[in-house]
Structure formats: structure tokens, C-alpha cells
Amino acid sequence: MVSISIVCLLSLFLLLPSPTITAAFNYKSALSKSILYFESQRSGHLPHTQRATWRHHSGLADGLQQGVDLVGGYYDAGDHVKFGLPMAFTVTMLSWGAAEYGEEIAAAGEERHVLEAIKWGTDYFVKAHTEANVLWAEVGDGDTDHYCWQRPEDMTTPRQAYKIDTNKPGSDLAGETAAAMAAASIVFRKSDPHYSHLLLHHAQQLFEFGDKYRGNYDKSVEKVRSFYGSVSGYMDELLWAALWLHRATGKREYLDYAVANGVFFGGTEWSIKEFSWDVKFAGIQVLAAKILLLKEEPLTENHQKVLQQYRAKAEHYICSCLNKNNNGSNVLRTPGGLLFVRPWNNMQYVSTAAFLLTIYSDYLTAASEKELHCYEGTVPAADLLDFAKTQADYILGNNPNGLSYLVGFGRRYPTRVHHRGASMVAYRESQGFIGCTQGYDEWYSRRKPNPNVIVGAIVGGPGLRDEFLDERGNYMQTEACTYNTAPMVGVFAKLNSLAQTNLSKGSLPGGLKCLGSSELAAEQN
Ligand SMILES: *[C@@H]1O[C@H](CO)[C@@H](O)[C@H](O)[C@H]1NC(C)=O
Ligand SMILES: *[C@@H]1O[C@H](CO)[C@@H](O)[C@H](O)[C@H]1NC(C)=O
């Protein structure tokens, strides 16, 4: 395989007047690994099909004290708290990717895996939504959890569960969970209509609950405040939920809601340079712009006017990523070209930006709009995708450190990911109990690489000068989160499909089909 590829590359160099070939990445492998990552983060009873075999059952009594079955769901990062808000955002982003790029994902043979990854989250949300106006928000708490360094299988920390209800509301959490279930209902519509309908039912109830009983969830569940406090409040999540419900049901009432509340809730007002589990305005604005761009339904003059305002803000976000706004309102970049928002887990903002740029490029193209108008000039629609590709390629190793920030991809990647389970001997290999602080003494403080490679995790990533320190204690850079990887699933699916198109165009004269550089990359991975 290697020798054929090299022959191919050589012949390309000979044939082309000015060779511009750079080693492309194997996006298919990146896609598969990204989806596999979610298996490492599973809580609950693992199925026999579990492919991340260094993990085992955990959290099997979650909810028992409260008399509710809260077994399942995802750990958010390197610890074992089940935080509802980032978990729901993760599932929304996985579902958005699958809703946009379902065909590309299926062509890469990953349809079943991505559905499983989404369902692992939505099954948990179904359990956690025990009554119309009750949603379990969190299991475990950050303070006691972080006191220990243990495998999830050995967990001895308190598993207190916290809920929101009519007395203790949480419109942000209810809204995000509604968005996740509505988005997932679109993905399951064909393969499992019954499940899709169930998710939609929960989504509608949760949206009503969040809208009727308004408040920030971190006021009701104070334990969450220093970990996933809702800085942007709940208005963005209510708009987000309404737009997802509109997309899932086609019902006019949800669009009317987003239009009527555009100003008051800030959807048409905020120009924001980041998109995250907390701050959703850019995502809302892109979703709203799609309705206008794709003209999928008749719109009143007022709808059009307000959607146009949403669109202007969406494009402000896109232009800020492209460095095309007037100064002061662009996203910083590292010397190596990575978007930079802030030092702690910067990669989360990179992956959400790569996702929004990728789909916005597709929306513009589908609307036959050839360019985007930014303050600093017009940008061809294709450039959005090209820029998203630079960010994906940076993540995969095209960066000053020559390091892939997608764990398990390429030859060099972080080996001391800040992750309890990955940093300790696999349960399968040694079932002897490892105590709370014993893990710190025997595993956390070791210099050696983690014994388990947490394939597909995207770590927090480098700092403002591209600097990165691969140390377990450097959690700002080496901890991985589910919401870092989730948006990249759609991006890798799109890039893989484009790379396949490139390959099929790359046949050489004389019948020798050039396998091209991405096959070379396949050898490396
Ligand atoms: C804005 O741009 C001008 C001209 O390009 C430049 O002189 C000025 O320093 C910039 N201001 C900021 C805040 O970056
Ligand atoms: C496909 O080919 C074009 C033209 O050579 C290149 O600019 C682009 O980056 C390629 N895309 C992928 C995903 O490999």
C-alpha cells in the first residue's frame, strides 16, 4: 500500500507543473475515532458491543437514593459527575451534525455508531425527565468528585442527584435538553419513528416547562455553579429550543416564538464571538438564518424582517472567525492559525466554530449565494469551508507542535490526558479496588503516559502562542470534554466526503488510479 501511494505521489509530482500536494489527513479515521470516544465517556451498564474495552460498568446505583433510575448518560470530561447542561449540548451538537451530514456519515460506515452515541444520551434524558415539570439536572457533585482520583468502576464519591421543578426552575437546562431531544428526533425519524416521536414529546414538554417556569438552573442547583454555571442565562436556550422544535415539527408556533422574542431574548441583538455549552446565540442565529436562506416555508414580512436580523448576527460571528470584521471584533488567532478565545479548554470554541463555518458554507451554497459580505470585504462561500478545514487540520496535527489534539490519531498526540479512567490501569486488567486518594498517589503523579488511550478525545489544546504541555496536572490544556469532540463529527464527515470526491477526480492517465496522500495518512493511523 505504501509503495503504491509513493509511486502515485511521485507520478503526480512529475505530471503537475507546480505540485501543490500537501499530505491530507485521513478524515474517515478522524470521524470513526471521534464517534468511538463517546463510548469512553459512558456511564451505566455497558453493552456487550462496547468497543472501548478498557471501560466497564459504573454508576449503577445512580438515582437509587432518590427513588429514580438515573443509570446511564455521559461523564462530561475527566471526572464522573453527570452534568445535564453540557451533556445535553453534546447531544444537540452530535445530532445537528448527523442531521446535516447523515449521508456522509452513512457513506463512511458510521451511521449505526453515531446513532448509538446520540441514543446513549437521549435514553438518559428520557429517564431523567420523570414528570412533565421535573428534570434531573445532575448526579454527583464536582467538589467531592474532584477530591478523589478513581476509576469510574471504583467510584466511592457521593452520588447525590439534583433536579429542577416548578419550585426550583431551570429554563436553560430544560431548554437545552428540549433542543437535544428535538434535534435527535430528526435523526431517528427514519430509522426509528417511534423513538423519534417519544423524543419529540419530551422535547415539547420540556420546552413548555422551561418557558412557563423561568429561571437559571444554577440558582436551583447551586452545586453546579462553580462547574457549569449558566453565565448567559436561559434566554438563549429558550430560543434554541424553539428553533430546534420548529425544525423538528415544522410548526409555525415555534418560529413565531423565536421571532416574537428575538429582541427581548437577545437573539437578534447579541453579536458574540464564541459558541459553547453556555452561550448559544451564534448557533441560534445560524439556525434562524437557514430558515431564511433555504426558503423551505412561506414567511410573513415580519418573519423575514426578524430572520434577516438573526442572519446579520450569524454573519457577524462567521466574519469574526474569518478575521473579516472591523478591528476589535475578530476572534484572535495563534501564530499557528488556531482560533483563540480563552486559555482554558480553547478547543471547544474551535470545534464549534469549525462546525458553524462548515454548515454555513453549505447553507449559502444551497441558497445559491456565492459570497458572504463582511466589513472587510466579501468572502466566497467556499472560503468558509476552507477555513473550517484549516482548524480541523490544526487539530489533526498541522500545527507548530506537529501534534494531533485528537487523541489516538496520527503518530503524536497527548499521552497524559487529564482523565481518571484513562490514567489508571484498566478495570479489565486489574479489578482490585483503587481508593479515592490512592489514585492520586499511584497514578495521577506518575510521569509515564496513561495506560489507556482515550481514542477520539479532543483535549483543551494549546495556548495563545501554540504552546502545549502534555502533563496530567495541566487540565486547562490536557482535559478532554464531550462537547469538544461532538461538533467535529459533522465536520470530519463533510471533509471525508470532500476528500473522497477529490480522490475520485484524481485518476491518473493510463488507468493507474492514484490513491493519493490520504491513503498515506491512512497508513500512519
Ligand atoms: C484598527 O485598525 C487601524 C488601521 O488598520 C489600526 O491603526 C488600529 O491600531 C486598529 N485598532 C485596534 C484596536 O486594533
Ligand atoms: C479537495 O481538493 C481541493 C483542490 O485541490 C483542495 O483545495 C481541498 O482542500 C481538498 N479537500 C479535501 C477535503 O481534501
Side-chain angles (χ1 to χ4, degrees), residues 278-290:
D278 181 17
V279 190
K280 272 136 222 173
F281 288 105
I284 292 163
Q285 290 154 356
V286 166
L287 268 184
K290 173 181 187 269

Side-chain angles (χ1 to χ4, degrees), residues 326-328 376:
N326 51 344
N327 52 17
E376 296 279 358

